[in-house]
Amino acid sequence: MAQSTPETGNGPAGTGREVTVSAPAAAGTETVSNAIVRLTRLHRMVAGQLLRRIGLHPGQELVMMHLW
């Protein structure tokens, strides 16, 4: 079940209507800290897969960015 939470400010293109954003049902039961940890782990997994395609390991992209 999704929850809607109002965004602050005016709606799209200054229509004066409130904008609502759907949130996953788990968002109400999970702390922000846990969500950040899960997101970090998922990001590292995806980044690792992408880096392996070009022959790098996680962490080496920072060296490559510095060299660039």
Side-chain angles (χ1 to χ4, degrees):
M1 180 173 167
Q3 298 174 348
S4 293
T5 55
E7 287 282 321
T8 56
N10 290 333
T15 60
R17 291 181 269 178
E18 261 188 29
V19 176
T20 58
V21 177
S22 296
T29 61
E30 188 175 310
T31 65
V32 173
S33 297
N34 289 343
I36 292 171
V37 169
R38 290 180 65 207
L39 179 64
T40 302
R41 288 180 181 162
L42 181 60
H43 178 268
R44 183 166 175 86
M45 287 172 38
V46 171
Q49 290 172 352
L50 294 173
L51 289 170
R52 264 185 245 115
R53 290 182 186 173
I54 59 172
L56 296 176
H57 297 282
Q60 290 179 325
E61 77 278 11
L62 299 175
V63 175
M64 296 301 291
M65 288 170 37
H66 183 71
L67 292 172
W68 183 62

